């Protein structure tokens, strides 16, 4: 079990995924600061390929931080010191599976991030997907809801593979306080409080680490009974749902079963809480209550269950 330093993420939970930051660049080629005035008359793409050395780069000529997810399919990619990046897999909704790697890049302003070399002569045939956006920072990273929650999974204990501020997918406003729990497909999902079902979507089957998977998933959204301080909780990557929109649930009810649908390097539950249910809502921190009445916040690298943090 290995934590990427200061990332709140367990390294082996992201096979084929490579987190790239200035303070921890891994085996990418390099970060390069640039003068944006040198490119004023050029239309610089977000993702660029240098045919002379066969390198792939993220290009940021703007004065804002950007987040880039870049997937390279079915191609050997080599980094600094001739390190070959290990591939992962992705499967679309039609059941077609491909090997790939995905870089998760936090790119500073006016910086080029040179990721890797492609070891193929037929570069025009290489399939590359990317999503590059301004970094959407959370406006209130310390926002904490007072309601204590039950645990969202039956049985266990389960390894937390990514906690809040996790560097794989939990570092922007819509996911900042989320937690990921490694669990076998089909693990019962439990209502963490009394409430009502607001959404239940289970019509997707894609899985893996492709950039395009970031925008498709299966999920259940509950609104918990708290009129004075609304709270919504979401269960993501699920396989199936036992509940319908409008149905009332009680704490501990089985509402569905876990899966690995969406951007999901391995089977796990992604759990997040919000004060609103709209698509642009930002997350809020929530604590869970252990069997002995104490509260806790899961962190990557530790195990948890309905009893609470594991002491084994």
């Amino acid at each position: 079990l290995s934590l990427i330093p200061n990332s709140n993420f367990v390294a082996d939970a992201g096979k084929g995924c490579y987190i790239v930051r200035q303070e921890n660049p891994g085996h990418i080629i390099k970060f390069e600061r640039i003068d944006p005035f040198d490119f004023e008359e050029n239309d610089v793409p977000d993702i660029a390929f240098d045919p002379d050395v066969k390198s792939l780069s993220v290009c940021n000529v703007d004065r804002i931080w950007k987040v880039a997810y870049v997937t390279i399919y079915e191609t050997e990619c080599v980094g600094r010191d001739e390190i070959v990046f290990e591939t992962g897999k992705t499967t679309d909704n039609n059941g077609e599976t491909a090997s790939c790697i995905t870089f998760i890049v936090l790119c500073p302003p006016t910086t080029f991030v040179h990721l890797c070399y492609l070891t193929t002569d037929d570069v025009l045939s290489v399939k590359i997907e990317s999503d590059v956006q301004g970094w959407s920072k959370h406006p209130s990273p310390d926002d904490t809801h007072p309601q204590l929650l039950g645990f969202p999974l039956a049985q266990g204990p389960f390894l937390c593979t990514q906690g809040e501020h996790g560097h794989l997918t939990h570092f922007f406003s819509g996911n900042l306080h989320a937690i990921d729990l490694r669990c076998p497909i089909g693990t019962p999902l439990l209502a963490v409080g009394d409430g009502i079902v607001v959404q239940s979507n289970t019509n997707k089957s894609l899985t893996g680490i492709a950039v395009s998977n970031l925008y498709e998933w299966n999920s259940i959204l509950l609104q918990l009974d708290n009129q004075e301080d609304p709270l919504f909780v979401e269960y993501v990557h699920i396989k199936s749902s036992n509940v319908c929109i409008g149905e009332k649930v009680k704490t501990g009810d089985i509402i569905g079963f876990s899966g690995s649908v969406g951007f999901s390097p391995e089977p796990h539950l992604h759990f997040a809480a919000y004060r609103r249910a709209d698509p642009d809502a930002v997350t809020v921190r929530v604590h869970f209550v252990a069997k002995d009445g104490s509260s806790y916040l899961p962190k990557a690298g530790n195990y948890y269950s309905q009893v609470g943090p594991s002491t084994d």
Side-chain angles (χ1 to χ4, degrees):
L1 183 64
S2 175
L3 283 173
I4 297 176
N6 303 313
S7 70
N8 212 0
F9 177 67
V10 174
D12 73 357
K15 183 180 179 182
C17 295
Y18 296 92
I19 296 168
V20 180
R21 298 197 171 204
Q22 271 190 311
E23 68 273 19
N24 186 21
H27 295 292
I28 68 154
I29 302 169
K30 66 177 180 178
F31 280 74
E32 178 190 3
R33 290 299 302 271
I34 57 99
D35 185 341
F37 293 108
D38 292 340
F39 299 91
E40 281 189 322
E41 297 181 3
N42 298 300
D43 185 14
V44 179
D46 291 327
I47 308 297
F49 178 73
D50 183 339
D52 293 331
V53 295
K54 299 181 182 177
S55 65
L56 191 70
S57 304
V58 175
C59 303
N60 183 9
V61 297
D62 298 322
R63 300 184 185 276
I64 62 170
W65 286 78
K66 291 187 178 181
V67 176
Y69 283 77
V70 184
T71 299
I72 307 164
Y73 288 85
E74 303 285 355
T75 304
E76 185 179 73
C77 300
V78 178
R80 180 169 36 87
D81 301 325
E82 298 185 353
I83 297 295
V84 177
F85 290 102
E86 182 183 10
T87 61
K89 292 184 177 180
T90 197
T91 302
D92 64 21
N93 283 317
N94 297 318
E96 296 293 328
T97 298
S99 66
C100 61
I101 68 170
T102 293
F103 292 102
I104 299 94
V105 185
L106 184 58
C107 187
T110 61
T111 299
F112 288 177
V113 185
H114 305 294
L115 297 174
C116 63
Y117 304 103
L118 307 184
T119 62
T120 177
D121 293 326
D122 188 14
V123 294
L124 294 179
S125 69
V126 177
K127 180 181 178 182
I128 298 173
E129 290 181 346
S130 64
D131 182 82
V132 183
Q133 299 184 30
W135 185 16
S136 173
K137 292 185 179 182
H138 198 292
S140 304
D142 293 325
D143 186 22
T144 302
H145 198 283
Q147 185 169 347
L148 297 179
L149 304 183
F151 195 68
L153 292 168
Q155 303 156 14
F158 302 96
L159 175 67
C160 178
T161 54
Q162 186 177 197
E164 63 174 30
H165 299 269
H167 287 188
L168 187 75
T169 54
H170 296 177
F171 58 96
F172 43 90
S173 60
N175 268 347
L176 188 75
H177 302 100
I179 61 166
D180 289 348
L181 297 163
R182 177 184 287 168
C183 54
I185 292 175
T187 301
L189 305 172
L190 305 179
V192 295
D194 297 350
I196 189 169
V197 179
V198 177
Q199 296 176 10
S200 178
N201 305 306
T202 58
N203 61 338
K204 306 296 183 183
S205 60
L206 78 175
T207 185
I209 63 171
V211 169
S212 53
N213 292 15
L214 288 166
Y215 298 99
E216 295 188 78
W217 59 84
N218 292 340
S219 63
I220 296 171
L221 182 68
L222 305 180
Q223 181 175 7
L224 302 187
D225 292 344
N226 192 328
Q227 298 297 324
E228 295 182 357
D229 198 354
L231 183 62
F232 299 81
V233 294
E234 187 175 31
Y235 304 69
V236 181
H237 306 306
I238 69 173
K239 178 182 179 182
S240 60
S241 171
N242 282 3
V243 292
C244 300
I245 295 174
E247 183 175 343
K248 293 185 177 181
V249 298
K250 293 290 186 181
T251 304
D253 285 353
I254 296 177
I255 60 172
F257 296 90
S258 70
S260 190
V261 178
F263 186 85
S264 181
E266 65 172 13
H268 72 284
L269 172 67
H270 172 99
F271 181 89
Y274 306 86
R275 293 185 180 276
R276 307 189 316 273
D278 60 85
D280 296 325
V282 301
T283 56
V284 60
R285 178 185 296 126
V286 289
H287 289 87
F288 298 85
V289 61
K291 189 175 182 180
D292 64 6
S294 62
S295 63
Y296 64 93
L297 178 66
K299 295 182 179 181
N302 298 321
Y303 286 82
Y304 303 89
S305 70
Q306 290 172 275
V307 176
S310 175
T311 56
D312 295 337

